[in-house]
Amino acid sequence: MTDKNIELNNGELMPAIGLGTWRADESGVLAQTIKTAVGLGYRHIDCAKIYGNQEEIGKALKEVGVPRKDLYIVSKFYQNKHRPELVAGALDEILDELQLEYLDLLLMHWPYAIKPEIDAMDFDSTNIENVPIMDTWRAMEDLVGTGKVRSIGVSNFNQAILEKMIPQCRIVPAVNQVEIHPYNQEKELVKFCKKSGIAVTGYCPLGGTKINVMNDDFIKHVAEAHIGTPAQVALSWGLARGISVIPKSTNEIRLKQNLHQVSLTSDEMRMIGKIDKHERKVDPARDHKELEWVFHEDKMECPVI
């Protein structure tokens, strides 16, 4: 098990390994997974309003027998709450669902907004609205002094957005959570974030459907060499880069395995660095051409910041 923490730019400590909860929504299974994971040593739990499972997570957290101060709970508000007057209420909704008095980290889930009446991931281009990112961010900054959130950050933000955003911030984002795995390494973004004092969390750190990192020949070769699993190799690679990782599993054996790292050699790190394919599991541009700028800065202009 790792006891490694990542120090954020405000001095707060974030456990480097967390538990992802996206699409973990089978009733009863998630609650047991939370209890099992915390029992194994997980302390960092990653949540989001749009996942639709925070009430179950909240109930489970009440039963884990670990003091709140020893847990690190992250959540994200949805794009329909970007209007600045809606941000404080979005945090309150999250806290109510999770049955918590505060979050350790609140993230803006995406850099684009949709109309407040849209409350699902299934939306069309007519539902996208132009809310300047800094208007939303300033409303988040105002939450830090309320005692309801200790750190604030962003998710799915590219370098072009951050470059325009940071000079305008009173509080620089503590974290940028993005998709990172050996097939989508985000080398330049990670380098920029580190230089700017922004910690990086990698979601989908094992790849996923159609992103077949776990069956990569070299990843499997390294796993065999270390008497480990491909998942342990992928997670250890991320951690060795100074990135927080939030794998998802409901299997107790894999939950336990994912907490244990393998010590990758410099040559192994270098070779994994060469298998980058820029393949994403998550890309809104597949459904909405208007959102191509989110992950493809070269294709369209960055939105109003």
Side-chain angles (χ1 to χ4, degrees), residues 134 158-169 192 301-305:
M134 283 308 302
N158 64 44
Q159 182 173 333
I161 297 174
L162 290 170
E163 285 176 339
K164 294 181 180 180
M165 178 182 175
I166 289 171
Q168 303 180 61
C169 292
F192 173 80
E301 267 189 43
C302 192
V304 175
I305 304 295

Side-chain angles (χ1 to χ4, degrees), residues 250-263:
T250 58
N251 180 284
E252 183 172 356
I253 293 174
R254 287 194 289 270
L255 284 169
K256 188 173 183 178
Q257 289 172 338
N258 289 348
L259 281 175
H260 293 268
Q261 303 169 49
V262 298
S263 297

Side-chain angles (χ1 to χ4, degrees), residues 222-238:
V222 174
E224 290 172 4
H226 289 274
I227 317 177
T229 68
Q232 288 173 324
V233 172
L235 296 174
S236 298
W237 168 81

Side-chain angles (χ1 to χ4, degrees), residues 65-139:
V66 173
R68 172 66 184 93
K69 65 181 180 62
D70 294 334
L71 297 172
Y72 193 91
I73 310 299
V74 181
S75 190
K76 317 168 199 72
F77 62 91
Y78 192 49
Q79 297 94 292
N80 63 351
K81 301 293 186 181
H82 276 220
R83 294 181 187 180
E85 66 271 20
L86 301 178
V87 172
L91 173 58
D92 287 339
E93 288 178 8
I94 289 170
L95 293 175
D96 286 345
E97 289 183 351
L98 291 171
Q99 300 182 50
L100 298 176
E101 293 182 359
Y102 70 91
L103 285 180
D104 293 280
L105 175 63
L106 175 69
L107 303 178
M108 191 189 314
H109 205 155
W110 289 90
Y112 65 90
I114 61 175
K115 295 175 181 177
E117 62 269 23
I118 306 301
D119 194 24
M121 285 189 277
D122 185 18
F123 60 90
D124 60 44
S125 60
T126 64
N127 302 133
I128 300 170
E129 68 172 9
N130 186 14
V131 179
I133 289 171
M134 283 308 302
D135 287 359
T136 308
W137 183 252
R138 291 187 181 104

